[in-house]
Protein backbone atom coordinates (compact mmCIF):
# COMPACT_ATOMS: atom_id res chain seq x y z
CA UNK A 1 0.00 0.00 0.00
CA UNK A 2 1.43 3.41 -0.95
CA UNK A 3 0.65 6.90 0.35
CA UNK A 4 -2.01 7.58 -2.27
CA UNK A 5 -4.00 4.46 -1.39
CA UNK A 6 -3.64 5.37 2.30
CA UNK A 7 -4.99 8.81 1.47
CA UNK A 8 -8.18 7.32 0.02
CA UNK A 9 -8.88 5.53 3.32
CA UNK A 10 -8.41 8.80 5.25
CA UNK A 11 -10.61 10.67 2.79
CA UNK A 12 -13.42 8.18 3.40
CA UNK A 13 -13.14 8.73 7.16
CA UNK A 14 -12.72 12.50 7.04
CA UNK A 15 -16.37 13.55 7.44
CA UNK A 16 -16.98 11.32 10.47
CA UNK A 17 -13.58 12.22 11.99
CA UNK A 18 -14.27 15.94 11.62
CA UNK A 19 -17.76 15.63 13.10
CA UNK A 20 -16.65 13.62 16.15
CA UNK A 21 -13.41 15.48 16.83
CA UNK A 22 -15.13 18.86 16.57
CA UNK A 23 -17.76 17.54 19.02
CA UNK A 24 -14.95 16.95 21.53
CA UNK A 25 -14.53 13.17 21.37
CA UNK A 26 -10.83 13.08 20.35
CA UNK A 27 -9.99 13.25 24.05
CA UNK A 28 -6.41 11.98 23.81
CA UNK A 29 -5.72 14.85 21.39
CA UNK A 30 -7.53 17.53 23.37
CA UNK A 31 -6.56 16.57 26.94
CA UNK A 32 -3.09 15.16 26.42
CA UNK A 33 -1.36 15.19 23.06
CA UNK A 34 -1.92 18.70 21.83
CA UNK A 35 -1.27 20.45 25.18
CA UNK A 36 1.96 18.46 25.60
CA UNK A 37 3.02 19.16 22.00
CA UNK A 38 2.45 22.90 22.41
CA UNK A 39 4.25 22.93 25.76
CA UNK A 40 7.31 21.47 24.01
CA UNK A 41 7.06 23.74 20.96
CA UNK A 42 9.62 26.57 20.76
CA UNK A 43 8.38 30.13 20.23
CA UNK A 44 6.91 30.30 16.70
CA UNK A 45 5.61 33.88 16.59
CA UNK A 46 6.55 35.47 13.27
CA UNK A 47 7.99 32.23 11.86
CA UNK A 48 6.80 30.44 8.73
CA UNK A 49 5.61 26.92 9.42
CA UNK A 50 4.28 23.91 7.57
CA UNK A 51 1.82 21.53 9.28
CA UNK A 52 1.93 18.08 7.66
CA UNK A 53 -1.18 15.88 7.79
CA UNK A 54 -3.29 18.69 9.25
CA UNK A 55 -6.64 16.87 9.08
CA UNK A 56 -9.53 19.28 9.68
CA UNK A 57 -7.04 21.84 10.99
CA UNK A 58 -7.60 21.91 14.76
CA UNK A 59 -3.90 21.95 15.64
CA UNK A 60 -3.00 24.13 12.65
CA UNK A 61 -5.31 26.81 14.02
CA UNK A 62 -3.54 26.64 17.38
CA UNK A 63 -0.22 27.27 15.60
CA UNK A 64 -1.71 30.25 13.76
CA UNK A 65 -3.10 31.58 17.04
CA UNK A 66 0.50 31.61 18.26
CA UNK A 67 1.10 34.08 15.42
CA UNK A 68 3.04 31.74 13.17
CA UNK A 69 2.49 32.10 9.41
CA UNK A 70 1.14 28.66 8.68
CA UNK A 71 0.76 26.56 5.55
CA UNK A 72 -0.88 23.17 6.05
CA UNK A 73 -1.22 20.12 3.86
CA UNK A 74 -3.23 16.94 3.97
CA UNK A 75 -3.60 14.17 1.42
CA UNK A 76 -7.38 14.11 1.97
CA UNK A 77 -9.32 16.72 0.05
CA UNK A 78 -12.33 16.21 2.35
CA UNK A 79 -10.26 17.16 5.41
CA UNK A 80 -8.86 20.19 3.57
CA UNK A 81 -12.39 21.26 2.58
CA UNK A 82 -13.45 21.14 6.26
CA UNK A 83 -10.33 23.08 7.28
CA UNK A 84 -10.95 25.73 4.61
CA UNK A 85 -14.57 26.07 5.65
CA UNK A 86 -13.51 27.13 9.17
CA UNK A 87 -10.77 29.33 7.72
CA UNK A 88 -13.45 31.18 5.71
CA UNK A 89 -15.63 31.59 8.81
CA UNK A 90 -12.80 32.69 11.13
CA UNK A 91 -9.76 33.64 9.03
CA UNK A 92 -6.36 33.04 10.61
CA UNK A 93 -4.36 33.41 7.41
CA UNK A 94 -3.75 29.66 7.03
CA UNK A 95 -2.89 28.43 3.52
CA UNK A 96 -4.38 24.91 3.26
CA UNK A 97 -3.46 22.66 0.35
CA UNK A 98 -4.16 19.10 -0.73
CA UNK A 99 -0.75 17.43 -0.99
CA UNK A 100 1.16 14.41 0.18
CA UNK A 101 3.92 14.52 2.78
CA UNK A 102 5.88 12.30 0.42
CA UNK A 103 5.90 14.89 -2.40
CA UNK A 104 5.71 18.34 -0.82
CA UNK A 105 4.89 21.07 -3.37
CA UNK A 106 7.36 23.55 -1.88
CA UNK A 107 10.86 24.69 -2.77
CA UNK A 108 13.87 23.68 -0.70
CA UNK A 109 14.44 25.71 2.49
CA UNK A 110 10.98 27.36 2.53
CA UNK A 111 9.98 27.03 6.20
CA UNK A 112 11.38 27.92 9.63
CA UNK A 113 9.62 24.95 11.19
CA UNK A 114 7.57 21.89 10.29
CA UNK A 115 5.02 20.18 12.54
CA UNK A 116 3.28 16.84 12.11
CA UNK A 117 0.66 16.05 14.74
CA UNK A 118 -0.04 12.31 14.72
CA UNK A 119 0.40 11.90 10.98
CA UNK A 120 3.88 10.59 10.17
CA UNK A 121 3.06 7.12 11.52
CA UNK A 122 0.23 6.93 8.97
CA UNK A 123 2.55 7.21 5.97
CA UNK A 124 4.13 4.07 4.52
CA UNK A 125 7.13 5.86 3.00
CA UNK A 126 8.48 6.99 6.38
CA UNK A 127 11.95 7.75 4.97
CA UNK A 128 10.61 9.89 2.12
CA UNK A 129 8.29 11.86 4.42
CA UNK A 130 11.19 12.68 6.77
CA UNK A 131 13.45 13.57 3.83
CA UNK A 132 10.78 15.92 2.45
CA UNK A 133 10.34 17.62 5.84
CA UNK A 134 14.11 18.10 5.99
CA UNK A 135 14.27 19.44 2.42
CA UNK A 136 11.66 22.17 2.90
CA UNK A 137 13.17 23.36 6.20
CA UNK A 138 15.59 26.25 6.22
CA UNK A 139 18.98 25.40 7.74
CA UNK A 140 18.56 25.79 11.50
CA UNK A 141 14.82 25.08 11.30
CA UNK A 142 13.10 22.33 13.26
CA UNK A 143 10.69 19.46 12.76
CA UNK A 144 8.45 18.60 15.71
CA UNK A 145 6.15 15.60 15.44
CA UNK A 146 4.00 13.29 17.52
CA UNK A 147 3.30 9.64 16.79
CA UNK A 148 1.72 6.75 18.63
CA UNK A 149 4.43 5.28 20.83
CA UNK A 150 6.17 2.49 18.91
CA UNK A 151 6.67 0.41 22.07
CA UNK A 152 3.00 0.39 23.03
CA UNK A 153 1.15 0.71 19.72
CA UNK A 154 2.33 -2.70 18.60
CA UNK A 155 0.67 -5.19 16.25
CA UNK A 156 -0.54 -7.06 19.34
CA UNK A 157 -1.90 -4.92 22.17
CA UNK A 158 -4.42 -5.57 24.91
CA UNK A 159 -5.49 -3.57 27.96
CA UNK A 160 -5.38 -5.67 31.13
CA UNK A 161 -7.98 -4.39 33.61
CA UNK A 162 -8.65 -5.03 37.29
CA UNK A 163 -12.02 -5.72 38.91
CA UNK A 164 -12.83 -1.97 38.80
CA UNK A 165 -12.19 -1.89 35.04
CA UNK A 166 -9.02 0.15 35.64
CA UNK A 167 -6.13 -0.67 33.32
CA UNK A 168 -3.14 -1.95 35.29
CA UNK A 169 -0.97 -3.08 32.34
CA UNK A 170 -0.82 -3.11 28.57
CA UNK A 171 0.09 -6.41 26.97
CA UNK A 172 2.21 -5.80 23.87
CA UNK A 173 3.73 -8.12 21.32
CA UNK A 174 5.01 -8.52 17.80
CA UNK A 175 6.98 -5.29 18.25
CA UNK A 176 9.55 -6.16 15.57
CA UNK A 177 7.00 -6.94 12.86
CA UNK A 178 6.42 -3.76 10.84
CA UNK A 179 2.78 -3.41 9.94
CA UNK A 180 2.47 -2.25 6.33
CA UNK A 181 -1.11 -1.16 5.90
CA UNK A 182 -3.24 -3.53 7.98
CA UNK A 183 -6.61 -1.87 8.43
CA UNK A 184 -8.00 -1.05 11.87
CA UNK A 185 -11.68 -0.18 12.17
CA UNK A 186 -12.60 2.11 15.03
CA UNK A 187 -14.33 5.28 16.21
CA UNK A 188 -13.33 7.56 19.08
CA UNK A 189 -14.02 5.53 22.22
CA UNK A 190 -15.21 8.59 24.14
CA UNK A 191 -18.10 9.17 21.69
CA UNK A 192 -21.44 7.93 23.07
CA UNK A 193 -23.64 5.69 20.88
CA UNK A 194 -25.92 8.58 19.90
CA UNK A 195 -22.94 10.55 18.55
CA UNK A 196 -21.75 7.54 16.55
CA UNK A 197 -25.18 6.76 15.16
CA UNK A 198 -25.21 6.58 11.37
CA UNK A 199 -21.42 6.95 11.10
CA UNK A 200 -19.28 4.27 9.50
CA UNK A 201 -16.19 3.27 11.44
CA UNK A 202 -12.88 4.84 10.44
CA UNK A 203 -10.78 2.42 8.43
CA UNK A 204 -7.18 3.44 9.06
CA UNK A 205 -4.17 1.64 7.59
CA UNK A 206 -1.47 1.03 10.22
CA UNK A 207 2.29 1.28 9.70
CA UNK A 208 4.49 0.43 12.66
CA UNK A 209 8.20 1.15 13.05
CA UNK A 210 10.38 0.39 16.06
CA UNK A 211 11.98 3.13 18.16
CA UNK A 212 15.38 2.43 16.64
CA UNK A 213 13.93 2.62 13.12
CA UNK A 214 12.46 6.06 13.84
CA UNK A 215 15.62 7.40 15.47
CA UNK A 216 17.94 5.96 12.83
CA UNK A 217 15.79 7.38 10.03
CA UNK A 218 16.02 10.82 11.62
CA UNK A 219 19.79 10.44 11.97
CA UNK A 220 20.16 9.18 8.37
CA UNK A 221 18.10 12.18 7.17
CA UNK A 222 20.71 14.41 8.89
CA UNK A 223 18.40 15.67 11.62
CA UNK A 224 19.86 16.47 15.03
CA UNK A 225 17.68 15.22 17.87
CA UNK A 226 16.77 18.05 20.20
CA UNK A 227 13.96 16.97 22.53
CA UNK A 228 11.94 13.83 23.25
CA UNK A 229 8.80 13.61 25.42
CA UNK A 230 6.40 10.81 26.40
CA UNK A 231 3.35 12.72 27.67
CA UNK A 232 1.01 11.26 30.24
CA UNK A 233 -2.19 12.68 31.74
CA UNK A 234 -2.19 14.17 35.24
CA UNK A 235 -4.47 12.74 37.95
CA UNK A 236 -6.61 15.84 37.54
CA UNK A 237 -7.00 15.16 33.80
CA UNK A 238 -8.00 11.57 34.50
CA UNK A 239 -10.57 12.81 37.05
CA UNK A 240 -12.06 15.05 34.32
CA UNK A 241 -11.78 12.38 31.63
CA UNK A 242 -11.69 8.86 33.17
CA UNK A 243 -11.36 7.28 29.69
CA UNK A 244 -7.72 8.39 29.72
CA UNK A 245 -6.64 6.42 32.80
CA UNK A 246 -4.88 3.84 30.63
CA UNK A 247 -2.51 6.52 29.31
CA UNK A 248 -1.04 6.79 32.83
CA UNK A 249 0.07 3.15 32.71
CA UNK A 250 2.36 3.29 29.67
CA UNK A 251 3.31 6.03 27.20
CA UNK A 252 0.77 6.08 24.38
CA UNK A 253 2.52 8.87 22.45
CA UNK A 254 6.04 9.88 21.52
CA UNK A 255 6.94 13.50 20.75
CA UNK A 256 10.21 14.35 19.04
CA UNK A 257 11.85 17.60 18.02
CA UNK A 258 14.79 17.45 15.61
CA UNK A 259 16.69 20.23 13.91
CA UNK A 260 18.17 20.65 10.44
CA UNK A 261 21.77 21.67 11.05
CA UNK A 262 22.90 25.06 9.88
CA UNK A 263 22.87 28.71 10.70
CA UNK A 264 19.64 29.22 12.63
CA UNK A 265 17.32 32.06 11.79
CA UNK A 266 15.29 31.28 14.90
CA UNK A 267 15.35 33.20 18.16
C1 LIG B 1 -4.47 10.87 12.89
S1 LIG B 1 -4.87 12.08 11.66
C2 LIG B 1 -4.20 13.53 12.44
C3 LIG B 1 -4.84 14.79 11.95
C4 LIG B 1 -4.39 16.08 12.66
N1 LIG B 1 -2.97 16.34 12.49
C5 LIG B 1 -4.76 16.06 14.13
O1 LIG B 1 -3.85 15.99 14.96
O2 LIG B 1 -5.96 16.11 14.44
C6 LIG B 1 -3.66 11.72 10.38
C7 LIG B 1 -3.76 12.65 9.19
O3 LIG B 1 -2.69 12.37 8.28
C8 LIG B 1 -3.19 12.52 6.97
N2 LIG B 1 -2.30 11.82 6.03
C9 LIG B 1 -2.13 10.49 5.87
N3 LIG B 1 -1.21 10.26 4.91
C10 LIG B 1 -0.77 11.47 4.46
C11 LIG B 1 0.17 11.89 3.50
N4 LIG B 1 0.89 11.02 2.76
N5 LIG B 1 0.37 13.21 3.32
C12 LIG B 1 -0.36 14.12 4.03
N6 LIG B 1 -1.26 13.78 4.95
C13 LIG B 1 -1.47 12.47 5.18
C14 LIG B 1 -4.59 11.97 7.05
O4 LIG B 1 -5.41 12.35 5.96
C15 LIG B 1 -5.05 12.53 8.39
O5 LIG B 1 -5.61 13.80 8.25
Amino acid sequence: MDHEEVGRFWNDSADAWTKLSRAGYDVYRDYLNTPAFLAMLPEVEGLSGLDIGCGEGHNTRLLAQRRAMVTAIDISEVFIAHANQLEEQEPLGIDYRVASAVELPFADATFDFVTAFMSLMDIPETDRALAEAHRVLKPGGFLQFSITHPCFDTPHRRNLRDENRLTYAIEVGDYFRNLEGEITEWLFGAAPPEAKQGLSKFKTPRFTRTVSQWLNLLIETSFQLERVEEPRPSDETVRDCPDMQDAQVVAYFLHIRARKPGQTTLA
Side-chain angles (χ1 to χ4, degrees), residues 37-266:
F37 192 103
L38 294 177
M40 176 173 146
L41 191 73
E43 178 64 69
V44 292
E45 182 171 351
L47 301 184
S48 64
L50 172 67
D51 189 26
I52 291 178
C54 61
E56 54 76 41
H58 173 85
N59 291 318
T60 320
R61 291 188 287 280
L62 296 177
L63 294 172
Q65 283 161 3
R66 295 189 158 209
R67 298 177 188 282
M69 295 167 287
V70 191
T71 301
I73 64 111
D74 200 283
I75 200 162
S76 155
E77 63 253 26
V78 174
F79 269 135
I80 291 294
H82 284 298
N84 267 325
Q85 198 177 26
L86 273 197
E87 176 65 19
E88 277 162 30
Q89 284 170 20
E90 296 165 34
L92 289 166
I94 301 168
D95 177 5
Y96 288 107
R97 307 209 198 160
V98 178
S100 174
V102 173
E103 300 162 341
L104 292 175
F106 307 107
D108 297 357
T110 300
F111 299 102
D112 296 311
F113 71 93
V114 172
T115 51
F117 295 82
M118 300 297 289
S119 57
L120 292 184
M121 79 280 180
D122 295 319
I123 299 170
E125 302 88 347
T126 320
D127 52 349
R128 285 174 62 194
L130 290 176
E132 280 292 87
H134 188 271
R135 182 182 66 74
V136 300
L137 274 172
K138 295 177 189 172
F142 69 84
L143 163 68
Q144 184 169 310
F145 66 96
S146 52
I147 52 175
T148 50
H149 201 301
C151 298
F152 303 106
D153 183 27
T154 47
H156 171 82
R157 188 179 79 174
R158 191 159 63 106
N159 281 31
L160 303 181
R161 298 179 194 273
D162 65 17
E163 62 279 7
N164 298 315
R165 299 286 304 149
L166 292 177
T167 296
Y168 63 89
I170 308 288
E171 183 180 275
V172 296
D174 236 357
Y175 173 66
F176 295 104
R177 181 166 70 88
N178 286 162
L179 292 184
E180 295 294 351
E182 280 83 341
I183 307 294
T184 309
E185 295 194 30
W186 60 290
L187 284 171
F188 294 121
E194 59 272 22
K196 295 192 245 193
Q197 207 169 13
L199 299 180
S200 302
K201 287 185 174 175
F202 312 138
K203 290 194 176 103
T204 53
R206 292 181 69 203
F207 302 91
T208 57
R209 310 285 178 254
T210 63
V211 167
S212 58
Q213 285 174 324
W214 276 107
L215 297 182
N216 286 329
L217 277 174
L218 285 166
I219 293 163
E220 286 158 15
T221 313
S222 303
F223 274 115
Q224 289 175 343
L225 282 182
E226 192 167 275
R227 186 86 197 159
V228 180
E229 296 285 353
E230 296 171 298
R232 66 174 185 275
S234 64
D235 291 343
E236 197 184 11
T237 299
V238 173
R239 264 198 304 277
D240 290 346
C241 185
D243 281 350
M244 296 185 56
Q245 177 266 333
D246 51 0
Q248 285 190 319
V249 177
V250 298
Y252 273 6
F253 305 104
L254 182 64
H255 293 190
I256 294 181
R257 188 169 72 245
R259 205 167 280 272
K260 178 172 180 169
Q263 180 85 41
T264 180
T265 54
L266 310 180

